[in-house]
Amino acid sequence: PALVYRLQGTANAVRIRYPADTSTQINANINLTGTSQDSLLAGSVTILRAGFNPRTDFATMLADLTKGSTPTVTAPSNEYIRGMQFDVHVESTPNLEISTSLTRGLLAEVDLRLRGNVRRPTLLGSVSVSEGEVSLFGNKYQVNRGDVRFFNPTRIEPVIDMEVETRARGI
């Protein structure tokens, strides 16, 4: 017989150091319900703060995002994870400041929905940047606006639309 369960978790001001070179502080209300064959991880996560290690290369992060590939995981060996579905809303506090040694005053808002399953997760929604300054490839850029949107319900495929300004010298 299948094991039936209902687990609830609440996190307040918890710092997560994943992926490498990042530190995110969150609040979360998460529920895991179902059986060992079919379960649902649902709830909400609010990003309070986001920071990146000084070695973080935003150009590489953007390049990785634009590859348009959805991470595919081999079949999980754990029977409790194999049938798990996702429905998690990820948002930020208004005007979330993203801080690094390569940014200044970078304000963003996150409104994403994690769907799919462990083998094929998907993201829907957007990350919007309203203002700030970022350094890429040794140049400083003023961000007027920027959006990373996720429309594809079958794979993680970001669409990046940014408006930035810089000054050219010595041409």
Side-chain angles (χ1 to χ4, degrees):
L3 176 65
V4 179
Y5 49 88
R6 178 180 172 91
L7 300 171
Q8 296 177 316
T10 301
N12 289 309
V14 172
R15 181 186 289 180
I16 299 171
R17 293 190 176 268
Y18 181 84
D21 296 334
T22 65
S23 175
T24 308
Q25 188 177 22
I26 65 164
N27 288 343
N29 289 303
I30 300 291
N31 298 308
L32 177 60
T33 57
T35 67
S36 53
Q37 284 85 28
D38 185 27
S39 62
L40 175 65
L41 180 67
S44 64
V45 175
T46 302
I47 302 170
L48 305 173
R49 295 184 50 142
F52 297 85
N53 186 304
R55 295 181 312 238
T56 302
D57 180 359
F58 282 106
T60 302
M61 287 176 66
L62 286 173
D64 288 346
L65 269 177
T66 58
K67 290 179 184 174
S69 64
T70 297
T72 303
V73 180
T74 57
S77 59
N78 185 317
E79 67 180 280
Y80 298 106
I81 295 174
R82 195 174 304 134
M84 185 182 295
Q85 299 288 318
F86 300 125
D87 185 12
V88 178
H89 183 220
V90 179
E91 62 185 351
S92 67
T93 57
N95 293 320
L96 170 71
E97 185 169 353
I98 300 174
S99 39
T100 76
S101 64
L102 300 174
T103 64
R104 192 172 78 211
L106 196 61
L107 301 179
E109 289 194 31
V110 177
D111 186 11
L112 298 169
R113 175 120 1 228
L114 173 65
R115 293 267 170 102
N117 59 42
V118 174
R119 295 185 77 190
R120 294 201 55 84
T122 64
L123 276 178
L124 296 171
S126 65
V127 176
S128 299
V129 177
S130 58
E131 65 182 74
E133 189 177 279
V134 65
S135 295
L136 295 172
F137 305 115
N139 296 317
K140 288 185 180 181
Y141 295 90
Q142 180 65 41
V143 178
N144 297 328
R145 62 158 196 82
D147 293 298
V148 180
R149 294 188 179 117
F150 299 88
F151 298 114
N152 192 335
T154 60
R155 63 188 306 178
I156 297 176
E157 187 175 64
V159 175
I160 299 172
D161 179 17
M162 298 188 85
E163 181 182 316
V164 298
E165 292 180 23
T166 192
R167 285 195 174 154
R169 296 182 208 172
I171 293 179

